[in-house]
């Protein structure tokens, strides 16, 4: 149409398939809705949704109910029906044949605003040149205009004619099937789960004492089932009708008949049918009397189970020696997959077959024989010794030989045990020799100290090299005569190992060693292990040590370099800042950057995201430049960049020179960006003056970049040296984290001294800043300690010992006695499992769980913590994936604390995940991560369950036999 070509406001009709084209090209000027460009916004939105939907939809609009529909609806109108002439027509013109049916529905929706729903309703329509009976499932919904009034009726529908016709045919087929079941003496039922009614055929009515026609009470059926089987049937029916079911139903049970009182065994087979919403709408099936067959199967099953469960070799053969039966134990011993075409001699070892042939030849006359002989496993070809017993099986009436039977015992282990005993003695001698050689050649220093004087009984080559002695100079000599300077520190540790039987360790321990008349300090990591005798008494100490002097010295250099670098940034006269991560979190910024460029307070910026702090930068080029540095890992320089920065004193415009330098981790990945800024606003106005300043700035940037490159080279060199550290001892991550505590202690000590000396002169702002420093240092120290604990649990290596869990819980209760008493808490624990564990890790697990319960206790209620356990099979645990072949100790820790939302059941085990603010509850968010890591080290599993205000329950599954 001409007016459509000129109109530019019909974009809502874009697309929409065939109906979209028809609507766009139709002349609407003669209709009550007028031109599309004048249609109200509510109609436009509805039509856009309708035309772009693949579900059949129809719209009646306005007082005349003008008709609109989409491509998905069009097939319902037939090939020679109402399409396309009803488009834009009033409903009374478009649908005269069904107007009496749909008009009341339209009035209800249009006048009252109420939606309707109809399912499988017969509504004949005119299509394909005739009135056609059609069934429909449809909904009428109000379509509101911008005024809030109903301006139309929105119809979603689908034709169900094929479905209804199929159901009618199905009813006819079911009637034919019912007749066949009656003839076969089988019962049948058909139930409507929605209404709770069911019908049964004559045979089922007879068995269950039901009346003809619909029945409404399943209890009538359950009452005829024997009490022992009644609950089984109830559960089977409920399971079949649940939304988790596959619909199949099969159960066998016994009933007592109303007529004869006899007990019958019935087998029921059926199926439940579900609608699209997952609700069962039909449940039907058949019932068969299997009483006689069930009795026969039971007797046969008992006999077969008895034979098959035996560990003895049991087999039967016919008079021709053809094997007719072999139990599971026999099949397993022989490595067979079946007994078809097998004879008695087939399982005899080739070298013993002549002996077997002679015995079988005289067996019919002698009636039996008993001998030791070798059978052969067909899969691996290995012989195995058995006590072979053979008897003749005869007909008791005719004495005719029916076959031969054998019940034989595997004596392979008995014979092998004798041979293994001899080999074991030889191996013990050989292993002792290899152990001593291994100790001597070990790359770490190993020594054994005996008695209270700690006399050296053994020292390997590395240990001798450490103390610069020969073996004859140390054997039999007290340890502290060799290294007297260590006595004050190490003597208490060695005595504690002797007294408690627990290992002790030291890290970065300094030892003064004399070499060529000159004393020098060397650093070592060491572990003291208790040495026990046959009675498990501690008689000495094994010392394992490795030198870490180079790594300690390097670590000190790295820390000094890092300190110098941070001082360089803070003291720089040039605005500088460091951003971390893809979110550009401000880690550090010097005063000139904060005060002159950003014009913010320090506590406003540190730890905040750059783009959250300065949202005006989002629409500028800076996010793109920062991401480019992250992606390319290359330094980026931007000159005379125009920037609008909103500070506390308002928005100011700058011309700035930027240097974006990537900061790399040890592995070379970019983790942050150092930004160096020069305010060159005056330079734009005065070029000459700016050039002089630019040269000086470039020189400083070059020096800073060179310093960064040297630092990165030092870091990469440190990686190579640290990788050589003994893997059996603490990792460098542990060493670094441990050493970080010393500067934190100094921070706390010196801030306290300053506050004591000058506290009265502080302003309120100074007091707040000092408090924040102290709190931040305390939090950092707690975080380092938690990280150390987490690193210790990041390995499954350790001494596994079999011991009661209750002993560990008791130790934890004693260690936490002050906290328990302070919180007036009660900890109840029953007899707990005995498992194979790494004791110090399991102790850490209970410490973290109990402290967690004490921390999150209710304010108005004393904490009560209950610890129980039971042994469960992995195959019976469904909430987490466990090894189905293993036996687990299930430990439950339950408290009455504040609880948490169920959706956080997994998140609480992640590192640094907190459900509450730091001001509400102290902590670093690592404790439960450590618990989960310990459980993983033991190849176990853990779950958490809670609701707000109802406490929390932790379930830990640990293998009884260890990993």
């Amino acid at each position: 149409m001409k007016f459509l070509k000129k109109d530019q406001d019909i974009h809502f009709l874009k697309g929409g398939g065939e109906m979209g084209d028809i609507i766009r090209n139709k002349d609407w000027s003669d209709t009550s809705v007028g031109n599309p460009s004048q249609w109200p916004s509510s109609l436009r939105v509805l039509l856009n949704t309708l035309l772009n939907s693949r579900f059949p939809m129809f719209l009646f609009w306005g007082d005349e109910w003008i008709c609109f529909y989409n491509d998905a609806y069009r097939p319902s109108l037939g090939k020679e029906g109402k399409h396309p002439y009803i488009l834009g027509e009033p409903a009374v013109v478009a649908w005269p044949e069904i107007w009496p049916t749909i008009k009341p529905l339209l009035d209800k929706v249009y006048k009252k605003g109420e939606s309707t729903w109809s399912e499988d309703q017969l509504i004949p329509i005119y299509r394909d040149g005739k009135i056609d009976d059609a069934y429909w499932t449809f909904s009428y919904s109000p379509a509101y205009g911008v005024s809030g009034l109903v301006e139309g009726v929105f119809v979603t529908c689908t034709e169900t004619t094929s479905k209804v016709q199929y159901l009618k045919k199905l009813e006819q087929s079911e009637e034919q099937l019912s007749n066949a079941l009656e003839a076969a003496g089988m019962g049948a039922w058909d139930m409507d789960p929605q209404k709770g009614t069911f019908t049964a055929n004559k045979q089922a009515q007879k068995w269950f004492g039901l009346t003809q026609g619909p029945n409404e009470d399943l209890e009538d059926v359950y009452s005829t089932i024997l009490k022992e089987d009644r609950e089984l049937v109830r559960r089977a029916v409920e399971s079949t009708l649940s939304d988790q079911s596959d619909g199949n139903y099969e159960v066998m049970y016994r009933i007592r008949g109303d007529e004869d009182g006899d007990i019958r065994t019935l087998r029921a087979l059926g199926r439940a049918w579900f609608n699209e919403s997952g609700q069962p709408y039909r449940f039907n099936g058949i019932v068969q009397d299997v009483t006689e067959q069930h009795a026969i199967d039971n007797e046969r099953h008992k006999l077969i189970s008895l034979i098959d469960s035996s560990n003895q070799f049991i087999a039967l053969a016919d008079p021709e020696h053809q094997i007719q039966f072999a139990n599971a134990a026999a099949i397993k011993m022989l490595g067979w997959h079946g007994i078809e075409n097998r004879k008695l001699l087939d399982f005899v070892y080739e070298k013993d077959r002549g002996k077997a042939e002679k015995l079988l030849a005289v067996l019919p006359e002698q009636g039996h024989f008993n001998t030791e002989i070798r059978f052969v496993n067909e899969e691996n070809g290995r012989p195995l010794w058995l006590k072979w017993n053979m008897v003749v099986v005869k007909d008791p009436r005719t004495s005719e030989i029916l076959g031969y039977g054998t019940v034989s015992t595997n004596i392979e282990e008995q014979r092998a045990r004798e041979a293994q005993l001899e080999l074991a003695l030889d191996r013990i001698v050989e292993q002792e020799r290899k152990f001593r050689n291994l100790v001597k050649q070990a790359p770490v220093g190993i020594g054994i100290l005996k008695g209270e004087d700690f006399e050296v009984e053994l020292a390997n080559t590395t240990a001798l090299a450490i103390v610069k002695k020969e073996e004859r100079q140390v054997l039999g000599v007290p340890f502290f005569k060799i290294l007297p300077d260590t006595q004050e520190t190490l003597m208490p540790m060695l005595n504690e190992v002797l007294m408690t039987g627990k290992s002790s360790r030291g890290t970065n321990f300094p030892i003064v060693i004399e070499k060529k008349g000159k004393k020098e300090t060397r650093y070592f990591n060491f572990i003291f292990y208790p040495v026990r005798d046959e009675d498990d008494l501690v008689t000495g100490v094994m010392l394992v040590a490795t030198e870490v002097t180079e790594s300690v010295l390097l670590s000190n250099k790295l820390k000094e370099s890092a300190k110098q670098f941070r001082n360089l940034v803070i003291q720089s006269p040039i605005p500088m800042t460091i951003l971390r991560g893809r979110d550009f979190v401000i880690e550090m910024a010097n005063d000139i950057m904060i005060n002159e460029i950003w014009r913010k307070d320090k506590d406003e910026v540190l730890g905040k995201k750059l783009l959250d702090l300065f949202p005006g930068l989002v629409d500028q080029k800076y996010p793109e430049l920062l991401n480019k540095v992250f992606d390319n890992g290359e330094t980026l320089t931007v000159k005379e960049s125009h920037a609008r920065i909103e500070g506390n004193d308002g928005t100011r415009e700058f011309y700035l020179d930027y240097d974006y330098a990537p900061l790399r981790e040890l592995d070379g990945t970019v983790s942050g960006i150092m930004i160096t800024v020069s305010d060159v606003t005056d330079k734009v106005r005065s070029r000459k003056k700016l050039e002089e300043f630019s040269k000086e700035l470039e020189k400083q940037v070059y020096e800073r970049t060179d310093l960064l490159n040297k630092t990165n080279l030092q870091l990469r060199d440190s990686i190579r040296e640290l990788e050589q550290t003994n893997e059996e001892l603490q990792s460098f991550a542990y060493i670094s984290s441990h050493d970080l505590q010393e500067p934190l202690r100094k921070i706390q000590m010196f801030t306290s001294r300053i506050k004591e000396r000058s506290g009265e002169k502080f302003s309120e702002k100074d007091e707040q800043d000092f408090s924040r420093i102290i709190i931040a240092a305390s939090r950092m120290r707690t975080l380092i300690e938690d990280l150390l604990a987490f690193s210790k649990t990041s390995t499954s290596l350790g001494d596994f010992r079999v011991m009661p869990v209750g002993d560990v819980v008791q130790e934890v209760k004693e260690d936490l006695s002050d906290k328990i008493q302070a919180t007036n808490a009660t900890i109840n624990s029953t007899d707990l499992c005995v498992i194979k564990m790494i004791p110090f890790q399991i102790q850490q697990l209970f410490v973290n769980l109990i402290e967690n319960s004490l921390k999150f206790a209710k304010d108005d209620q004393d904490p009560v913590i209950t610890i129980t356990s039971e042994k469960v099979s992995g195959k019976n645990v469904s909430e987490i994936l466990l090894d189905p072949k293993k036996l687990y100790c299930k430990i439950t820790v339950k408290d009455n604390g504040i609880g948490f939302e169920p959706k956080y059941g997994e998140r609480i085990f992640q590192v640094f995940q907190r459900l509450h603010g730091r001001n509400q509850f102290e902590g670093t968010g690592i404790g439960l991560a450590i618990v989960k890591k310990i459980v993983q080290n033991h190849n176990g599993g853990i779950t958490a369950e809670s609701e707000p205000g109802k406490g929390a329950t932790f379930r830990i599954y640990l293998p009884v036999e260890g990993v």
Side-chain angles (χ1 to χ4, degrees):
M1 299 298 295
K2 293 181 178 179
F3 74 87
L4 285 179
K5 293 180 180 178
K6 296 178 180 180
D7 196 286
Q8 301 298 321
D9 195 24
I10 58 170
H11 57 274
F12 64 93
L13 293 176
K14 183 178 180 181
E18 178 186 349
M19 291 308 302
D21 291 337
I22 294 175
I23 292 176
R24 284 192 293 271
N25 294 316
K26 180 178 175 64
D27 186 354
W28 293 88
S29 59
D30 294 332
T31 66
S32 60
V33 294
N35 292 335
S37 61
Q38 301 171 351
W39 289 353
S41 59
S42 52
L43 177 57
R44 297 182 179 197
V45 172
L46 286 171
L47 284 178
N48 183 268
T49 301
L50 177 144
L51 291 173
N52 288 284
S53 174
R54 296 185 178 181
F55 192 82
M57 293 183 178
F58 199 97
L59 176 65
F60 296 101
W61 185 262
D63 294 335
E64 294 184 355
W65 293 312
I66 299 300
C67 299
F68 296 91
Y69 53 94
N70 62 4
D71 284 356
Y73 185 86
R74 195 191 62 72
S76 301
L77 300 175
K79 296 181 179 179
E80 299 180 4
K82 300 176 180 294
H83 175 71
Y85 84 87
I86 66 170
L87 177 66
E89 293 295 327
V92 67
V93 176
W95 302 99
E97 69 276 18
I98 60 172
W99 186 243
T101 300
I102 67 173
K103 186 177 185 304
L105 298 176
L106 292 171
D107 288 337
K108 180 179 180 181
V109 177
Y110 196 76
K111 295 178 179 180
K112 297 182 179 181
E114 299 178 1
S115 299
T116 69
W117 170 262
S118 300
E119 186 173 6
D120 297 337
Q121 182 170 338
L122 174 62
I123 301 181
I125 66 170
Y126 181 80
R127 63 183 178 189
D128 298 333
K130 64 181 186 341
I131 296 294
D132 191 10
D133 284 346
Y135 294 86
W136 306 85
T137 294
F138 58 90
S139 171
Y140 281 22
S141 305
Y144 292 95
V146 293
S147 63
L149 301 177
V150 178
E151 295 186 5
V153 177
F154 198 70
V155 183
T156 57
C157 65
T158 182
E159 185 174 356
T160 59
T161 303
S162 298
K163 167 191 163 185
V164 173
Q165 292 173 347
Y166 173 77
L167 291 176
K168 289 182 178 180
K169 292 179 182 179
L170 184 61
E171 290 176 358
Q172 296 174 357
S173 299
E174 288 177 347
E175 182 178 355
Q176 295 172 357
L177 177 61
S178 177
N179 293 335
L181 292 174
E182 294 283 356
M186 301 176 72
W189 84 91
D190 195 348
M191 178 182 179
D192 184 342
Q194 301 292 331
K195 298 178 180 178
T197 60
F198 63 94
T199 58
N201 70 349
K202 292 180 180 179
Q203 184 62 63
Q205 293 169 12
K206 178 180 177 182
W207 283 337
F208 296 104
L210 301 174
T211 59
Q212 187 174 1
N215 293 267
E216 297 184 353
D217 194 355
L218 271 180
E219 291 300 324
D220 294 339
V221 176
Y222 292 140
S223 64
T224 62
I225 300 173
L226 293 190
K227 186 177 180 180
E228 297 86 345
D229 297 345
R230 199 171 296 165
E231 189 58 30
L232 170 68
V233 179
R234 287 183 190 273
R235 290 198 302 268
V237 172
E238 292 173 359
S239 175
T240 302
L241 296 179
S242 71
D243 56 4
Q244 303 296 323
S245 169
D246 61 0
N248 292 317
Y249 171 75
E250 181 176 358
V251 67
M252 187 177 293
Y253 54 89
R254 295 165 295 169
I255 66 169
R256 189 180 299 277
D258 285 345
E259 296 182 357
D260 51 18
D262 292 341
I263 294 178
R264 298 177 182 274
T265 300
L266 302 182
R267 180 170 180 252
L269 295 170
R271 181 172 178 80
W273 308 86
F274 297 85
N275 57 26
E276 294 179 354
S277 62
Q279 298 297 316
Y281 65 86
R282 192 175 187 184
F283 179 37
N284 55 8
I286 60 171
V287 184
Q288 182 181 7
D289 186 348
V290 294
T291 304
E292 294 182 2
Q293 182 62 37
H294 184 64
I296 295 172
D297 289 344
N298 276 344
E299 293 301 321
R300 183 175 62 184
H301 179 70
K302 289 178 183 178
L303 178 59
I304 292 176
S305 295
L306 179 63
I307 295 174
D308 240 3
S309 62
S310 173
N311 291 327
Q312 300 290 317
F313 185 106
I314 302 175
L316 295 172
D318 63 16
E320 304 301 325
H321 296 179
Q322 191 77 34
I323 297 177
Q324 302 297 316
F325 170 79
N327 70 344
I331 295 294
K332 183 178 179 180
M333 289 183 200
L334 299 175
W336 289 1
H337 299 289
I339 60 174
E340 292 79 14
N341 300 320
R342 299 281 192 173
K343 289 193 173 185
L344 290 175
L345 286 175
D346 290 347
F347 57 64
V348 179
Y349 187 47
E350 183 179 4
K351 293 183 179 180
D352 292 350
R353 197 161 291 172
K355 175 182 177 180
E357 288 175 347
K358 293 177 181 179
L359 291 170
L360 292 174
V362 298
L363 180 59
E365 296 178 6
Q366 294 183 351
H368 67 87
F369 65 75
N370 186 318
T371 187
E372 291 186 3
I373 199 169
R374 288 174 292 182
F375 291 178
V376 62
N377 184 290
E378 192 174 84
E379 285 187 345
N380 55 36
R382 294 178 182 173
L384 62 156
W385 284 94
L386 280 89
K387 194 76 170 179
W388 193 17
N389 303 301
M390 286 293 297
V391 296
V392 178
V393 180
K394 296 183 178 180
D395 189 317
R397 294 176 300 170
T398 64
S399 296
E400 177 187 0
I401 295 178
L402 301 178
Y404 306 98
T406 178
V407 179
S408 303
T409 304
N410 187 337
I411 59 173
E412 183 71 14
E413 291 186 2
Q414 175 184 336
R415 282 181 165 261
R417 204 174 294 120
E418 297 172 357
Q420 288 175 353
L421 186 58
E422 296 179 4
L423 290 174
L425 295 174
D426 295 337
R427 288 175 180 172
I428 291 174
V429 175
E430 178 64 18
Q431 286 175 356
E432 182 178 358
R433 184 185 65 79
K434 289 181 178 179
F435 172 74
R436 288 189 173 272
N437 288 336
L438 179 64
V439 169
K440 283 187 175 294
Q441 299 171 11
V444 296
I446 300 176
I448 296 179
L449 313 179
K450 284 291 186 177
E452 296 181 355
D453 292 333
F454 305 109
E455 292 183 357
V456 178
E457 182 183 83
L458 180 146
N460 72 344
T461 304
T462 305
L464 294 173
I466 290 175
V467 298
K468 314 301 181 184
K469 304 283 185 182
E470 296 180 3
E471 189 175 46
R472 60 182 178 80
Q473 295 176 294
V474 298
L475 293 185
V477 179
F479 178 75
F480 293 112
K481 285 189 176 181
I482 302 172
L483 296 172
D485 294 338
T486 65
Q487 182 168 358
E488 181 179 352
T489 305
L490 297 184
M491 177 70 85
M493 299 176 67
L494 289 170
N495 284 330
E496 184 178 359
V497 176
L498 280 181
M499 294 175 60
T500 65
K502 296 181 179 179
S503 61
S504 180
R505 67 182 63 222
T507 305
N508 299 342
F509 187 81
I511 295 179
V512 177
I513 296 176
E514 186 173 342
K515 182 179 181 182
K516 295 181 180 179
K518 183 180 179 181
K519 291 186 177 182
E520 59 180 15
T521 301
R522 311 295 290 176
Y523 295 89
F524 297 88
N525 290 346
F526 63 84
I527 300 178
F528 294 150
Y529 288 105
V531 176
R532 301 176 185 272
D533 60 13
E534 305 83 36
D535 299 324
D536 202 33
L537 297 177
V538 179
T539 60
V541 178
M542 175 184 286
L543 165 64
V544 180
T546 185
E547 185 171 356
V548 292
T549 302
E550 298 301 327
S551 63
V552 170
L553 296 178
L554 178 59
S555 174
N556 293 336
K557 291 180 181 178
L558 290 176
K559 286 186 287 186
E560 183 62 28
S561 296
K563 181 179 179 181
Q564 293 175 359
F565 174 73
R566 294 180 66 89
N567 290 336
L568 175 67
V569 173
I570 296 298
Q571 298 172 11
S572 172
I574 301 171
M576 298 180 72
T577 184
I578 293 178
L579 309 180
R580 288 290 179 186
R582 290 280 188 172
D583 291 334
F584 312 129
V585 176
I586 300 171
E587 181 183 273
M588 181 192 307
N590 59 7
D591 291 342
I592 192 170
M593 173 66 83
I594 296 173
N595 298 329
E596 297 186 13
I597 303 299
W598 291 342
R599 304 175 331 281
K600 299 274 188 181
D601 293 333
K602 182 177 294 186
D603 56 356
E604 288 185 82
V605 300
L606 296 185
K608 303 297 191 303
K609 297 179 181 178
L610 179 69
L611 299 182
D612 289 346
L613 192 64
F614 302 105
L617 297 178
V618 173
D619 296 330
Q620 302 179 48
K621 60 184 176 181
Y622 299 102
E624 180 183 351
L625 296 176
L626 292 170
N627 282 317
K628 185 176 181 181
V629 175
F630 261 102
D631 294 336
N632 298 337
E634 298 177 356
T635 300
L636 180 64
T637 300
V638 181
K639 297 294 184 181
E640 299 180 6
S641 177
H642 181 257
R644 295 183 302 277
I645 301 176
E646 183 177 356
N648 292 338
D649 58 352
T651 301
R652 288 178 55 185
E653 293 190 3
F654 293 89
Y655 286 94
L656 304 172
D657 283 352
Y658 286 102
D659 279 295
Y660 301 104
L663 300 178
R664 301 180 184 273
E665 295 297 317
L666 297 180
D667 60 0
T669 59
V670 177
S671 64
I673 300 175
M674 185 179 75
I675 302 178
T676 305
V677 179
S678 294
D679 184 357
V680 294
T681 305
D682 294 338
K683 173 185 173 182
V684 176
R685 299 168 186 161
S686 178
R687 178 68 58 182
K688 183 177 180 180
K689 185 176 181 179
L690 181 60
E691 287 175 351
E692 295 176 357
F693 177 77
S694 177
K695 291 179 181 179
E696 179 64 23
L697 176 64
E698 288 175 0
K699 178 181 178 182
Q700 293 183 10
V701 170
Y702 175 82
E703 292 174 352
R704 304 308 183 269
T705 304
D706 183 64
L707 178 60
L708 284 175
N709 291 334
K710 291 179 179 178
T711 302
N712 284 335
L713 290 174
Q714 290 178 337
L715 290 174
R716 284 196 291 270
D717 291 338
S718 69
I719 293 174
R720 299 189 189 100
E721 295 184 15
L722 291 177
E723 287 176 345
Q724 300 173 2
T725 303
N726 188 353
E727 294 180 356
E728 298 178 2
L729 303 176
Q730 297 293 334
S731 66
F732 178 69
Y734 172 87
I735 297 170
S736 298
S737 300
H738 181 77
D739 290 344
L740 285 176
Q741 296 186 63
E742 178 60 24
L744 284 174
R745 284 194 292 268
K746 289 184 178 178
I747 290 173
Q748 293 175 316
M749 179 179 69
F750 287 121
T751 51
S752 298
R753 290 181 181 177
I754 294 173
K755 188 173 183 180
E756 289 176 0
R757 291 196 303 266
S758 307
E760 296 179 356
K761 301 177 182 179
F762 282 178
S763 65
E764 183 178 349
K765 180 63 175 177
D766 294 335
E767 183 71 27
Q768 291 176 356
D769 289 343
F770 259 76
S771 297
R772 287 172 179 165
I773 293 172
I774 295 172
I775 292 171
S778 177
R779 287 176 180 165
M780 185 64 179
R781 185 170 184 178
T782 301
L783 176 61
I784 292 172
E785 290 173 350
D786 286 350
L787 286 172
L788 284 173
F790 186 73
S791 69
K792 290 179 182 178
T793 59
S794 295
T795 174
S796 61
L797 296 179
D799 293 332
F800 276 87
R801 293 169 51 192
V802 176
M803 63 182 295
V805 176
D807 291 356
V808 178
V809 172
Q810 185 60 37
E811 290 182 11
V812 172
K813 289 167 68 175
E814 293 174 0
D815 293 343
L816 299 179
S817 58
D818 291 343
K819 288 187 179 180
I820 293 172
Q821 185 176 0
T823 57
N824 201 24
T826 301
I827 300 179
N828 302 315
S829 59
T830 59
D831 292 337
L832 303 178
C833 302
V834 177
I835 66 172
K836 194 171 185 180
M837 67 172 81
I838 304 175
F840 81 89
Q841 289 194 3
I842 298 302
Q843 183 178 14
Q844 184 67 49
L845 178 145
F846 281 108
V847 167
N848 288 9
L849 287 177
I850 291 175
E851 286 186 337
N852 191 73
S853 296
L854 298 178
K855 182 194 302 182
F856 297 106
K858 295 179 180 177
D859 294 337
D860 58 350
Q861 190 174 358
D862 291 340
V864 177
I865 304 171
T866 303
I867 304 175
T868 60
S869 74
E870 60 177 321
K871 291 184 179 179
V872 298
S873 174
K875 65 182 178 182
N876 295 328
V877 178
S878 59
E879 55 187 330
I880 55 176
L881 183 62
L882 297 175
D883 189 338
K885 298 180 181 179
K886 285 188 176 181
L887 183 65
Y888 289 82
C889 174
K890 174 185 176 183
I891 303 171
T892 303
V893 180
K894 181 177 178 63
D895 63 44
N896 62 341
I898 63 174
F900 55 84
E901 292 287 348
K903 64 182 179 181
Y904 298 126
E906 289 293 334
R907 175 181 168 186
I908 61 174
F909 293 113
Q910 298 175 9
V911 178
F912 303 125
Q913 293 299 314
R914 301 170 53 91
L915 304 186
H916 305 275
R918 185 179 288 109
N919 294 331
Q920 291 180 276
F921 297 98
E922 63 180 10
T924 60
I926 297 179
L928 291 181
I930 292 175
V931 170
K932 183 172 182 179
K933 192 62 182 177
I934 291 172
V935 172
Q936 291 174 341
N937 289 346
H938 287 74
N939 280 2
I942 184 170
T943 65
E945 179 182 316
S946 180
E947 291 183 24
K950 296 185 179 180
T953 300
F954 293 86
R955 296 184 179 88
I956 303 104
Y957 298 87
L958 300 177
V960 173
E961 297 298 328
V963 299

